[in-house]
Amino acid sequence: MKKTFLLIAVLILTGACAAPPPASREAAPPAASPAAVAMTEADAIAKEKAVWETIKNKDWDAFGNMLADDQMEVTPEGVNDKAASIASVKKFEPTEVVFSDWKFLSIDKDAFIVIYTANTKGKYDGKEFKPLSARASSAWVKRAGKWLAIYHQECEVKPPMTMPPSKVAKATASPTPTPAAAPVTGSDPGANDRIVWDLFKAKNYDAFASLLASDLIEVEPDAVYDKAGAVKGVSMFDASKAVLSDFKSVNLDDDAALTTYTVKGDGTPDAALGVRHSSIWVKRDGKWLGLFHHGGTTVVKPAPAASPKDTPAQPATTPAKKA
């Protein structure tokens, strides 16, 4: 089995809230969210790149000092805490990292998200891996006046998923009429995502759209989507048999929270293996709305410790990075 590497820079690497359809267009988010912007895009990108520099320089103390104590790194093998992230990054030796497609999203004055593509070459655990390309997301929070990386996830870049016409028709048929009142979301991000998946199962996409912020960004293996693309994407798969598990959540601040979980049976190619998803919910004008989602991180079992005669497997995604 392939050994998945973690992309390593502000929250290490890295599964799919339904891969959006190939017809959906990749779209850049608005230049600024309604929330107060306390961080510029240029400064946010600089902070993310600085984490990668600590890894290149093998400065593990500096790397650890850039992570929040409650940091979470979503990888194919599992969800790492800060200690596990630091331990895993020590095995990663990048020789070349090329960034592109940067996007910046302000959560509020004390938190932001950066999204980008990283093309990486190097070694993992002493063995060279073939060039890898991944879509990466990192969230940062301001704690005691210092900006710290609290979340990172990656998924391998893949071409748009095509679904047989019969499955597309089945997924989009007989939508449930929009209820008089939209479901009520709250400060528990895990509960909010369960509400969202119940709406997917009911094919109630209008209600789903009502729970999203206008500047929502969704990251999937094939593209990065705006709100319209995300809503169109979920209408192209059958979530009737989806099972959610392994929820873990963390508060970013009083008005923003993140949850990560695993989905099986969502009708996508990796449904049997399971896919890791993460969402960030924010409170705006008294209502909790979905602002960010990252899917497409396919679950894999951690590789067993290799014996001296074993040859390490090729990673499935880019070497891990921390955000």
Side-chain angles (χ1 to χ4, degrees), residues 302-320:
S307 68
K309 295 182 180 181
D310 289 336
T311 301
Q314 173 64 34
T317 60
T318 33

Side-chain angles (χ1 to χ4, degrees), residues 19-41:
S24 296
R25 296 187 298 275
E26 183 167 356
S33 75
V37 178
M39 170 65 63
T40 67
E41 179 173 358

Side-chain angles (χ1 to χ4, degrees), residues 88-103:
S88 62
V89 79
K90 292 180 179 180
K91 298 180 180 181
F92 177 53
E93 300 177 67
T95 57
E96 181 180 328
V97 182
V98 178
F99 303 109
S100 61
D101 307 320
W102 287 94
K103 289 178 171 56

Side-chain angles (χ1 to χ4, degrees), residues 205-259:
Y205 308 121
D206 288 340
F208 166 58
S210 74
L211 299 181
L212 305 181
S214 61
D215 51 343
L216 170 131
I217 295 180
E218 178 178 359
V219 180
E220 297 291 347
D222 66 328
V224 177
Y225 294 86
D226 61 5
K227 178 177 178 177
V231 174
K232 183 176 181 180
V234 298
S235 70
M236 301 297 287
F237 76 105
D238 182 6
S240 61
K241 297 181 180 179
V243 177
L244 283 60
S245 63
D246 305 323
F247 278 84
K248 294 183 180 181
S249 301
V250 62
N251 288 331
L252 305 184
D253 55 39
D254 292 341
D255 296 320
L258 177 145
T259 189

Side-chain angles (χ1 to χ4, degrees), residues 94-165:
T95 57
E96 181 180 328
V97 182
V98 178
F99 303 109
S100 61
D101 307 320
W102 287 94
K103 289 178 171 56
F104 167 75
L105 180 61
S106 176
I107 298 174
D108 56 35
K109 65 182 180 62
D110 294 318
F112 67 85
I113 305 165
V114 284
I115 299 155
Y116 55 98
T117 299
N119 294 289
T120 312
K121 296 179 182 179
K123 295 180 180 181
Y124 188 83
D125 207 11
K127 300 294 181 179
E128 187 172 350
F129 54 84
K130 67 180 182 181
L132 295 170
S133 180
R135 301 190 193 280
S137 301
S138 297
W140 290 71
V141 293
K142 195 173 186 179
R143 301 268 176 86
K146 181 179 179 181
W147 286 100
L148 299 169
I150 194 170
Y151 155 82
H152 185 80
Q153 182 171 347
E154 298 174 13
C155 59
E156 184 179 7
V157 173
K158 296 180 180 180
M161 181 184 72
T162 57
M163 296 182 68

